[in-house]
Amino acid sequence: MYLRPSDANATLQLPSKRKRDLLDHYESNVEELDRWREFNAAYHADDLKFMQFLIPPGKRVLELGCGRGDLLAGLKPAYGVGIDFGAQTIATANARHPELNFVLGDVEDPATLDAIEGPFDYIVIADTIGMFEDIDGTMRLIQKLCAPSTRIIISYYSHLWEPILKTAEAVNLRRKQPKINYIATADFLNLMDLADFEVIRHEQRQLLPQRWFGLGTFINSYIAPLPGIRALCLRTYLVARPVRHFPDRKLSASIVIPCRNERGNIEDAIKRMPRFGSHQEILFVEGNSSDGTFAECERVRDAYKDQWDIKVFKQDGKGKGDAVRKGFAAASGDVLMILDADLTMPPETLPKYHTVIESGKAEFVNGTRLVYPMEDEAMRPLNFIANRCFAYLFSFLVNTRLTDTLCGTKVLLRKDYEVLARERGYFGDFDPFGDFDLIFGAAKQNLKIIETPIHYKARTFGETQISRFRDGWLLLKMVWFAYRKLKAI
């Protein structure tokens, strides 16, 4: 039921006494909300800022338990729908945000959700899941409003803060709250699993929910996200995706091979390339070599034109990252893949990466060289130690276990890369490697990231183009950059 401001006296028949008590509590205190929001402005501003980080503007957004619609409006959706069971609350939301759509209804009632037109890019459950009477059952109901790319954002406060919050209520520093379900994060994970959702991101924010002359802002940005300390934070955010598998899906593939001074590996890359996917194209992007690599790429293209769809490009800028971006921009396949021209990652293993994406098990696949034993001299000891250290740091930054961020093999759907490219302005042109531009972009999009191990081989032609100390310094700077962009928000 869509309401206008004049419909504030409408009523909704709720099935349980608990819900009727919750409705009475919120409707009787609606006039106090502005005063309390102003009093706790820092808390609400930080919460909105992080939600805006998780949900870019211009998306289709549904909020379950929207209140007066202020959060939904702050997310600047292209199409926004809010549902709440308070008629006065919904009428107020329509008056405050006439550009959005507000529905009077019980989010646990199938009839309410059946009347909503989906799918949505994001479904937000902010501080209301603790009021549900059947959490996993309700989550199963919203599956019908999800596409495979839909993300569910659930936010709630940590019950470690319960004594502090109750004390704040007692001394009139916080609005009195009704009793809600006590659910630990581990319980949420279990209930989401029962409803066929997979949690892919878990964040904790706000150690000091006040400004305190800038001290609270600094602590919340730079100290609160740190490992160990973050467990003490007030706010918890979970990001989940619907579990969808596509056993019969057939996708085409574009394999981008950046190459500089790799003349001796070009033909081997084609000879060793397996057949997979509904169609394959191979794109060599040559980086102004001094050993005739570009001419070799053209020769191989012409020699194998009856067997393979091969394209050859000359790089405009410098660095592998620039080459990857040029190749991806020219690619036409459903799945984008990177194969390093040194062939230390065997081309024969590409089909299993493609299968992970094609089946829907993940949306971004990162190779790891650090599971199986390596051939002698495939990776120098100092490089191995550095990779392990940086893997720990970057796992923390992107909320996903990564053991080998510098492995050149990266695979994702072209449609996800196109979103990443459009939103690249958030990070800027910061990555000469190309690896972290993709990893950070995938993390910002809340893509499901997994690693797949490879058997790392020693080079058979040429020399490594990595400088341990110069590139190690760049990686340290990138860790700080990523911390500011992904954690210190």
Side-chain angles (χ1 to χ4, degrees):
M1 182 190 301
Y2 290 82
L3 295 184
R4 301 179 301 276
S6 59
D7 295 326
N9 291 324
T11 58
L12 183 69
Q13 298 300 316
L14 295 172
S16 72
K17 181 180 184 303
R18 179 171 180 263
K19 287 189 176 182
R20 291 192 294 271
D21 289 342
L22 286 170
L23 176 61
D24 290 342
H25 172 85
Y26 286 110
E27 295 282 78
S28 63
N29 290 282
V30 69
E31 294 180 358
E32 299 181 12
L33 284 177
D34 286 329
R35 179 173 67 87
W36 283 111
R37 287 188 69 88
E38 183 177 351
F39 184 79
N40 293 300
Y43 163 82
H44 291 291
D46 283 355
D47 180 62
L48 175 59
K49 186 175 182 180
F50 192 69
M51 293 293 281
Q52 289 172 332
F53 168 79
L54 294 174
I55 305 175
K59 303 296 184 181
R60 291 174 58 90
V61 182
L62 169 66
E63 184 178 5
L64 305 182
C66 62
R68 301 185 303 170
D70 295 332
L71 172 60
L72 183 62
L75 298 174
K76 298 180 173 57
Y79 174 66
V81 177
I83 305 175
D84 203 283
F85 58 19
Q88 183 179 349
T89 300
I90 287 292
T92 302
N94 270 313
R96 293 166 71 97
H97 309 291
E99 74 281 6
L100 303 176
N101 304 282
F102 295 101
V103 178
L104 177 65
D106 181 358
V107 299
E108 298 193 86
D109 180 3
T112 298
L113 298 182
D114 286 342
I116 304 299
E117 181 182 353
F120 291 88
D121 300 314
Y122 292 87
I123 298 177
V124 177
I125 308 174
D127 293 306
T128 55
I129 199 164
M131 303 175 195
F132 290 178
E133 296 187 340
D134 181 8
I135 294 175
D136 55 306
T138 303
M139 296 304 297
R140 279 193 291 271
L141 287 177
I142 67 175
Q143 280 275 5
K144 68 183 73 174
L145 298 173
C146 297
S149 59
T150 298
R151 292 299 178 262
I152 310 297
I153 312 293
I154 300 174
S155 62
Y156 53 96
Y157 71 85
S158 168
H159 283 273
L160 288 175
W161 280 67
E162 191 73 18
I164 299 173
L165 298 176
K166 289 300 182 184
T167 301
E169 288 182 25
V171 298
N172 205 32
L173 293 177
R174 180 176 185 250
R175 184 167 66 101
K176 291 190 180 299
Q177 300 293 316
K179 290 182 179 180
I180 62 173
N181 305 321
Y182 171 74
I183 303 175
T185 297
D187 298 323
F188 275 124
L189 298 179
N190 182 53
L191 290 168
M192 296 293 279
D193 185 47
L194 289 172
D196 291 326
F197 285 97
E198 178 181 25
V199 174
I200 56 177
R201 188 182 192 125
H202 175 202
E203 294 275 6
Q204 292 160 293
R205 314 287 302 183
Q206 292 210 45
L207 196 59
L208 292 176
Q210 293 292 333
R211 292 281 183 257
W212 285 8
F213 305 102
L215 179 63
T217 301
F218 174 80
I219 289 175
N220 288 335
S221 294
Y222 292 97
I223 307 301
L226 293 173
I229 296 175
R230 59 185 173 178
L232 304 175
C233 286
L234 171 60
R235 300 290 286 161
T236 298
Y237 300 83
L238 300 179
V239 181
R241 71 168 189 151
V243 176
R244 305 281 173 84
H245 295 306
F246 306 95
D248 300 322
R249 184 165 68 170
K250 300 298 180 185
L251 300 178
S252 58
S254 295
I255 302 102
V256 173
I257 307 178
C259 47
R260 183 174 183 272
N261 295 327
E262 299 283 2
R263 177 177 54 82
N265 290 324
I266 300 304
E267 188 166 16
D268 274 351
I270 299 302
K271 286 182 176 179
R272 294 172 56 185
M273 184 68 64
R275 298 280 182 178
F276 59 92
S278 61
H279 175 73
Q280 287 169 265
E281 65 172 356
I282 301 167
L283 302 95
F284 289 104
V285 184
E286 191 276 331
N288 301 299
S289 304
S290 58
D291 69 345
T293 297
F294 184 74
E296 176 67 1
C297 290
E298 292 187 311
R299 184 193 71 79
V300 168
R301 177 196 61 195
D302 296 339
Y304 291 87
K305 64 182 179 181
D306 294 332
Q307 302 172 47
W308 291 97
D309 179 6
I310 302 175
K311 299 178 175 65
V312 177
F313 302 91
K314 184 176 282 289
Q315 189 175 337
D316 301 312
K318 294 182 179 180
K320 179 185 171 183
D322 178 79
V324 169
R325 289 190 283 273
K326 186 177 182 76
F328 279 3
S332 61
D334 301 313
V335 179
L336 304 181
M337 317 182 78
I338 303 172
L339 175 67
D340 283 344
D342 60 15
L343 304 186
T344 54
M345 199 292 285
E348 293 84 357
T349 63
L350 287 175
K352 71 176 182 179
Y353 287 84
H354 183 269
T355 298
V356 171
I357 297 291
E358 191 174 56
S359 65
K361 292 179 180 178
E363 295 151 322
F364 184 94
V365 186
N366 184 70
T368 175
R369 302 162 292 179
L370 306 179
V371 173
Y372 300 128
M374 301 180 189
E375 289 187 350
D376 292 342
E377 299 184 4
M379 184 181 294
R380 291 173 288 184
L382 192 58
N383 290 24
F384 182 86
I385 294 170
N387 267 330
R388 286 295 194 190
C389 294
F390 284 117
Y392 172 79
L393 293 171
F394 285 110
S395 295
F396 157 66
L397 291 168
V398 303
N399 296 287
T400 299
R401 175 173 165 77
L402 295 176
T403 62
D404 189 11
T405 53
L406 288 175
C407 179
T409 307
K410 307 280 189 293
V411 183
L412 73 165
L413 287 167
R414 180 161 57 90
K415 67 180 183 63
D416 290 330
Y417 175 77
E418 289 170 350
V419 175
L420 185 154
R422 285 196 300 270
E423 298 177 0
R424 186 174 275 134
Y426 179 78
F427 295 104
D429 186 8
F430 70 99
D431 178 19
F433 302 102
D435 298 300
F436 300 105
D437 175 67
L438 297 176
I439 291 173
F440 296 164
K444 178 67 171 63
Q445 275 193 67
N446 296 305
L447 299 185
K448 168 64 175 177
I449 302 173
I450 69 167
E451 282 193 322
T452 300
I454 62 170
H455 288 278
Y456 191 51
K457 305 294 184 181
R459 269 181 171 270
T460 58
F461 175 87
E463 297 179 354
T464 181
Q465 299 175 42
I466 295 175
S467 169
R468 286 178 289 179
F469 299 105
R470 182 194 66 225
D471 293 340
W473 173 241
L474 278 173
L475 284 174
L476 284 173
K477 292 196 294 185
M478 213 163 292
V479 167
W480 174 241
F481 173 85
Y483 188 76
R484 290 189 296 112
K485 288 292 187 177
L486 294 173
K487 293 296 183 183
I489 300 164

